[in-house]
Amino acid sequence: MSTHAEPSILPGCSVLAPMEVRRDEAHRPNAPRTPKAKAGGRERGSRFASLNAFVDFTMRDLTRAETLVWLALYRDTKPDGVARTSQADLARRVGANVCTIKRAVAALVHQGLLTVVCRGNLRRGPSAYRVHPITKENLKGARAPPS
């Protein structure tokens, strides 16, 4: 005896009854997409806008080490706006000496592109940074992009 029901065959020219679909589950392929808000109230496009502002107005005034440190920290930034990493890990990822990373972090803090939220150590863990894409000084010298 079979536990599965035997498939029924439709008589000629018969049509299957439509399936019931709930409105909220209906697939709408032509529906306009809106950017979804991420945790922390930021939209997707704001990260790219910040990155664009950094590349367009800020990066030209930085050294290679400062640029790489800023980009590594920006990539590590969580939705709460804080990046947590050690300077030794930054040095390994950037391909620089730890002393170079310390100088780059100090320069970025001095220029207003980085805020040290919490200095880490062996007991407390990694340092925490808040990354800023552009400073007021860079914004003053910025030209409007060509349209």
Side-chain angles (χ1 to χ4, degrees):
M1 203 186 227
S2 171
T3 58
H4 296 106
E6 294 293 325
S8 60
I9 299 174
L10 291 174
C13 297
S14 298
V15 178
L16 287 173
M19 293 178 57
E20 290 185 30
V21 179
R22 291 182 11 201
R23 292 188 136 231
D24 57 343
E25 294 177 352
H27 176 65
R28 301 180 320 184
N30 295 330
R33 290 185 158 196
T34 58
K36 294 181 181 178
K38 286 191 166 189
R42 293 184 306 170
E43 292 183 7
R44 284 184 191 167
S46 67
R47 282 204 43 95
F48 283 108
S50 298
L51 189 58
N52 288 341
F54 175 76
V55 170
D56 291 341
F57 307 117
T58 308
M59 191 170 71
R60 65 180 168 228
D61 300 326
L62 301 178
T63 65
R64 179 182 181 273
E66 293 166 0
T67 302
L68 292 174
V69 166
W70 190 92
L71 287 171
L73 288 173
Y74 185 73
R75 191 195 78 173
D76 292 346
T77 301
K78 301 292 182 208
D80 65 354
V82 176
R84 290 172 184 83
T85 189
S86 67
Q87 290 181 347
D89 185 48
L90 279 173
R92 180 188 55 79
R93 290 190 289 156
V94 168
N97 192 334
V98 176
C99 291
T100 304
I101 299 302
K102 288 180 182 182
R103 280 192 302 272
V105 166
L108 290 170
V109 168
H110 179 70
Q111 294 173 18
L113 295 169
L114 196 66
T115 303
V116 179
V117 176
C118 174
R119 283 192 63 201
N121 61 27
L122 290 174
R123 286 189 218 147
R124 283 188 274 179
S127 298
Y129 304 96
R130 190 169 309 277
V131 181
H132 310 287
I134 194 165
T135 61
K136 290 180 183 178
E137 292 80 27
N138 289 336
L139 192 56
K140 288 177 188 174
R143 294 179 306 171
S147 47

